[in-house]
Amino acid sequence: MVTVAAVSKRPTIRDVAKLAGVSYGTVSRYLNGSDHVSERSATRIAAAIEQTQYAPNNAARSLAQQRTLTVALIIQVESNETIVQNSVSEAMAGANLVLGDAGYQMLTLIANSEASTRRITQLVNSDFADGYLLFSMSEDDSLGNAFLHTGKPVVRSEISDRGDLPYPAVDFANREGQRDVTRYMLDKGRSRLVYVCGPGYSPTSLNRLEGFKDALGERFDERQVYYADDWETYSGEMAAVEYQHMLGKIDGFVCANDSIAIGVLNQLTRFGYRVPDDIAVTGFDDSPFAVMTNPKLTTVRQDSKAHGQSMGELLLDMLRGETVDAHYVKLLPTQIVERQSA
Amino acid sequence: MVTVAAVSKRPTIRDVAKLAGVSYGTVSRYLNGSDHVSERSATRIAAAIEQTQYAPNNAARSLAQQRTLTVALIIQVESNETIVQNSVSEAMAGANLVLGDAGYQMLTLIANSEASTRRITQLVNSDFADGYLLFSMSEDDSLGNAFLHTGKPVVRSEISDRGDLPYPAVDFANREGQRDVTRYMLDKGRSRLVYVCGPGYSPTSLNRLEGFKDALGERFDERQVYYADDWETYSGEMAAVEYQHMLGKIDGFVCANDSIAIGVLNQLTRFGYRVPDDIAVTGFDDSPFAVMTNPKLTTVRQDSKAHGQSMGELLLDMLRGETVDAHYVKLLPTQIVERQSA
DNA sequence: CTGTTAGCGCATTCAG
DNA sequence: CTGAATGCGCTAACAG
């Protein structure tokens, strides 16, 4: 029976030095390629490394260099949430790309419980990584303070509602995006609109609402906005139900995200209204769901991969020692995706 | 202008020792709680820590302890893929839970390029983590060899097609699941079935096909299986097109996953067939999409969170030094979810 | 209970 | 170009 051993004695730099017949300082130089090593030593060291299967120890190197060549991406989600959103997943890929090219390994940590948040906070304060990318999708922004005493650079994925947190951010131009798609509705002659707003704790949510208001200008009426408790499909259904009695007078639902829009869509269909003939519906995010509905969702696309790349680049700038204003915000453009629902 | 500093001089254990008026060995003991420290020293140390904002250095601790209290979950995806699948995301949450409870911090690494694979391979060989969870969804299993020389325990998320890799695995009982849902079809009087098989490089794919064969037994005919190139919706559409000429004689499509099933569903609808009245369709996975189709998809559910938990538990066993057979495989049961499409 | 000391594995001086 | 020595920050073993 083959079994898996859980222990081992790995070779150290001294072992290969001895085997190559040089001092271990020379091996170190060889490994880091900084100084020159004689060709003869080099080949002998290479052979010794090959023979011993030597690989440098990560902790020792980090300790000596006072840096880890590592960046941690931290995702904060609600306690019981299990799914990492697609947008975050795409951003991860984007960030991983640029950070990798710069020689950094990206690690992802998930904070989805009080215990994990505590553990991560502790890690952050232990020079665990050279920099941090913070995605907090959650109402509870308890991780926000975790980085205050780490001397390391931090970049956030969203505009913070807490002005006291000195972390620059990369976000989407949510306000403009929501404004534009609302105008798109107006331009199509839809003027009796309802806005289904996202949860109030989210800055993103409020920004999008502002965009809706921008588009309507004077005509905006507080009664035409429905405030959802979360970003989920069910909330969209609730919204449609809430406005059921005046559905005949409404010709469009502008929704703060796709999931909500799908809820509205489904509920309108159940009520017997045709989308977009009777009532149009728009989403926001261009999630994978947007093309699986019938009719397909007209929505606002955000390039999440670019989001991640941009965050990674900003972090790299900071890692290189560039000075970045603590409240610097970079806004990425969005784009209307015209499909069938509006 | 507030700016972000990228450097700092963090206090060490000696700083707090000096401030507390004790030796730093005592501080170490205090921190690790192993030995007893006098109450007087304890309070003084606590105060000093508070005052200096001290936090132990991770690398130093790892180096001295020869362990990192960290587990790395590695996801291997196709080069250009950006999305971490929902099932993986849920498994991450499950693993994070049990590992966290045991005091381990889970880190996720994504291997989605040759460069990142190389970087990760190197990390793995540097005592970067105490154990590894490996998710490889990719045809290219180049990471498979990366763990051969690390003395650390590894658990895979899938049965490997490479019997030479000495990593135990936790997987779903794909074969039985596919068999059961096929029988479900047969029991409903659907006997003229087509099986849409997943891509050939995937062991999962082949296991599910075996399950279909098991259910049909003698009646199985090779001509009733369509071999898809991947797991995507488009492949499902292709399958329906392929069998278009004999759709009248077919009363059911058993599909190897939900995405494919949705493709079949959509294409059948386009062809004017009613699902499930004319033709039934089943999926596999119970992905989030399964409830967004019309009709909703009857499918096979796998508890991905439990998958992650199970993997985490197995890894913990190994971390505790338990001997696990290198080819041990734990299979998790699946469950039919009856909705509307079959 | 506590101070002292010897590593952990490696990078980086400084001589030579 | 290379060997020897020092230190990174901390744990653990050892006296006391």
Side-chain angles (χ1 to χ4, degrees):
Chain A
M1 185 175 96
V2 185
T3 57
V4 180
V7 292
S8 77
K9 192 60 189 167
R10 305 179 62 80
T12 77
I13 199 172
R14 296 170 207 258
D15 295 325
V16 345
K18 200 180 307 171
L19 209 142
V22 297
S23 83
Y24 69 89
T26 304
V27 177
S28 176
R29 276 186 290 270
Y30 169 83
L31 288 173
N32 298 296
S34 54
D35 280 344
H36 295 258
V37 175
S38 74
E39 204 161 312
R40 183 166 155 284
S41 296
T43 56
R44 301 192 56 164
I45 292 173
I49 287 178
E50 173 62 27
Q51 185 179 336
T52 56
Q53 288 282 341
Y54 168 79
N57 175 289
N58 196 255
R61 176 173 273 184
S62 296
L63 181 58
Q65 289 187 147
Q66 296 293 78
R67 64 171 186 175
T68 64
L69 285 181
T70 262
V71 163
L73 184 156
I74 302 179
I75 307 177
Q76 182 168 7
V77 297
E78 295 292 340
S79 318
N80 43 10
E81 195 142 357
T82 82
I83 299 271
V84 173
Q85 297 182 30
N86 288 299
S87 58
V88 176
S89 171
E90 286 191 29
M92 284 171 57
N96 199 26
L97 199 65
V98 300
L99 293 172
D101 284 348
Y104 286 91
Q105 173 60 47
M106 190 184 87
L107 313 174
T108 301
L109 313 201
I110 297 185
N112 61 350
S113 68
E114 202 185 320
S116 64
T117 300
R118 212 172 325 119
R119 233 180 304 122
I120 291 173
T121 300
Q122 187 151 346
L123 265 191
V124 165
N125 286 311
S126 71
D127 287 354
F128 165 70
D130 295 342
Y132 299 92
L133 258 29
L134 179 57
F135 284 78
S136 47
M137 318 278 98
S138 148
E139 174 169 12
D140 169 25
D141 195 12
S142 55
L143 223 41
N145 303 312
F147 307 87
L148 254 24
H149 298 289
T150 184
K152 316 291 183 183
V154 177
V155 173
R156 291 185 58 127
S157 67
E158 279 189 307
I159 295 176
S160 173
D161 50 344
R162 292 185 47 190
D164 58 322
L165 294 180
Y167 317 128
V170 177
D171 202 344
F172 288 101
N174 285 296
R175 182 168 180 167
E176 290 74 11
Q178 192 71 86
R179 183 197 63 198
D180 291 351
V181 75
T182 306
R183 282 188 185 154
Y184 167 92
M185 286 282 238
L186 294 172
D187 290 348
K188 289 223 168 184
R190 312 270 180 179
S191 58
R192 291 159 302 169
L193 302 175
V194 167
Y195 185 69
V196 185
C197 185
Y201 60 78
S202 158
T204 298
S205 192
L206 302 179
N207 278 325
R208 292 183 184 174
L209 175 58
E210 286 308 309
F212 179 76
K213 290 183 184 173
D214 289 347
L216 285 194
E218 295 290 312
R219 287 169 292 179
F220 174 76
D221 181 337
E222 186 62 43
R223 285 169 302 183
Q224 66 191 124
V225 14
Y226 175 88
Y227 292 90
D229 291 332
D230 55 41
W231 295 102
E232 304 307 318
T233 300
Y234 181 69
S235 291
E237 297 177 351
M238 295 298 294
V241 168
E242 180 82 13
Y243 282 89
Q244 179 175 13
H245 64 285
M246 46 186 296
L247 246 25
K249 298 189 229 159
I250 293 173
D251 57 11
F253 276 85
V254 176
C255 304
N257 82 342
D258 287 350
S259 293
I260 288 175
I262 289 172
V264 170
L265 205 65
N266 289 347
Q267 194 59 42
L268 289 180
T269 303
R270 280 184 211 112
F271 283 153
Y273 291 90
R274 290 166 308 162
V275 176
D277 302 332
D278 301 329
I279 306 180
V281 177
T282 64
F284 205 119
D285 289 349
D286 194 24
S287 68
F289 304 137
V291 294
M292 308 193 72
T293 56
N294 185 19
K296 292 179 181 168
L297 210 57
T298 290
T299 184
V300 180
R301 169 161 170 67
Q302 18 192 32
D303 186 343
S304 293
K305 188 172 179 188
H307 188 198
Q309 287 182 248
S310 207
M311 289 178 67
E313 282 160 6
L314 182 54
L315 190 65
L316 285 175
D317 287 345
M318 298 168 76
L319 286 169
R320 292 190 196 98
E322 285 183 32
T323 290
V324 174
D325 188 293
H327 298 286
Y328 169 72
V329 172
K330 174 167 185 176
L331 291 183
L332 270 23
T334 63
Q335 187 188 342
I336 294 176
V337 179
E338 182 173 357
R339 294 209 178 88
Q340 301 164 341
S341 70
Chain B
M1 184 174 98
V2 186
T3 57
V4 180
V7 291
S8 77
K9 193 58 192 168
R10 304 179 62 80
T12 75
I13 200 173
R14 296 172 206 258
D15 294 325
V16 343
K18 203 180 305 170
L19 209 144
V22 298
S23 82
Y24 68 88
T26 304
V27 177
S28 175
R29 275 186 293 268
Y30 170 82
L31 289 172
N32 298 297
S34 54
D35 280 344
H36 294 256
V37 174
S38 74
E39 204 161 314
R40 182 166 156 283
S41 297
T43 57
R44 304 192 54 165
I45 292 172
I49 288 178
E50 173 63 26
Q51 185 179 336
T52 55
Q53 289 283 339
Y54 168 79
N57 175 289
N58 196 257
R61 177 173 271 185
S62 297
L63 182 57
Q65 290 188 148
Q66 296 292 79
R67 63 171 188 175
T68 64
L69 284 182
T70 261
V71 163
L73 184 157
I74 301 179
I75 307 177
Q76 182 166 11
V77 297
E78 295 293 339
S79 319
N80 42 11
E81 196 144 355
T82 82
I83 299 271
V84 172
Q85 298 182 30
N86 288 300
S87 58
V88 176
S89 171
E90 286 191 30
M92 283 171 58
N96 199 26
L97 199 67
V98 300
L99 292 171
D101 284 349
Y104 286 91
Q105 172 60 47
M106 189 183 86
L107 313 173
T108 301
L109 313 200
I110 297 185
N112 60 350
S113 68
E114 202 185 320
S116 64
T117 300
R118 213 173 323 119
R119 232 179 306 121
I120 291 174
T121 300
Q122 189 151 345
L123 265 190
V124 165
N125 285 311
S126 71
D127 288 352
F128 165 71
D130 295 342
Y132 300 92
L133 259 28
L134 179 58
F135 284 77
S136 47
M137 318 277 99
S138 147
E139 175 172 11
D140 169 26
D141 195 11
S142 54
L143 223 42
N145 304 311
F147 307 87
L148 254 24
H149 297 289
T150 185
K152 316 290 183 182
V154 177
V155 172
R156 292 185 57 126
S157 67
E158 281 189 303
I159 295 176
S160 173
D161 50 344
R162 292 184 48 191
D164 58 324
L165 294 180
Y167 316 128
V170 178
D171 202 343
F172 288 101
N174 285 294
R175 181 169 180 166
E176 290 72 12
Q178 193 70 86
R179 182 196 64 198
D180 291 351
V181 74
T182 305
R183 282 188 185 155
Y184 167 92
M185 286 282 237
L186 294 172
D187 289 349
K188 289 224 168 184
R190 312 270 180 179
S191 57
R192 290 159 305 168
L193 302 176
V194 167
Y195 185 69
V196 185
C197 184
Y201 59 77
S202 156
T204 299
S205 192
L206 302 179
N207 279 324
R208 292 183 185 173
L209 174 58
E210 287 308 307
F212 178 77
K213 289 183 186 174
D214 288 347
L216 284 195
E218 297 287 314
R219 287 168 292 178
F220 174 75
D221 180 338
E222 186 61 43
R223 285 169 303 183
Q224 68 192 123
V225 15
Y226 175 88
Y227 292 90
D229 291 332
D230 55 40
W231 294 102
E232 304 307 317
T233 299
Y234 180 69
S235 290
E237 297 178 350
M238 294 299 294
V241 168
E242 179 82 13
Y243 282 87
Q244 179 175 13
H245 63 285
M246 45 188 295
L247 245 27
K249 298 188 228 161
I250 294 172
D251 57 11
F253 276 86
V254 177
C255 304
N257 82 342
D258 286 350
S259 292
I260 288 175
I262 288 172
V264 169
L265 205 65
N266 289 346
Q267 194 59 43
L268 289 180
T269 304
R270 280 185 209 111
F271 283 152
Y273 291 90
R274 290 167 306 163
V275 176
D277 302 333
D278 300 329
I279 306 180
V281 177
T282 64
F284 204 117
D285 290 347
D286 195 23
S287 68
F289 304 137
V291 294
M292 308 194 71
T293 56
N294 185 19
K296 292 179 182 168
L297 210 56
T298 290
T299 185
V300 180
R301 167 158 172 69
Q302 18 192 31
D303 187 342
S304 293
K305 188 171 179 189
H307 188 198
Q309 287 182 249
S310 204
M311 289 178 67
E313 282 159 6
L314 182 54
L315 190 65
L316 285 175
D317 287 345
M318 296 168 77
L319 287 169
R320 291 191 196 100
E322 285 183 32
T323 290
V324 174
D325 188 292
H327 297 288
Y328 170 72
V329 171
K330 175 167 184 176
L331 292 183
L332 269 24
T334 63
Q335 186 187 343
I336 294 176
V337 180
E338 181 171 359
R339 294 210 178 88
Q340 301 163 341
S341 70

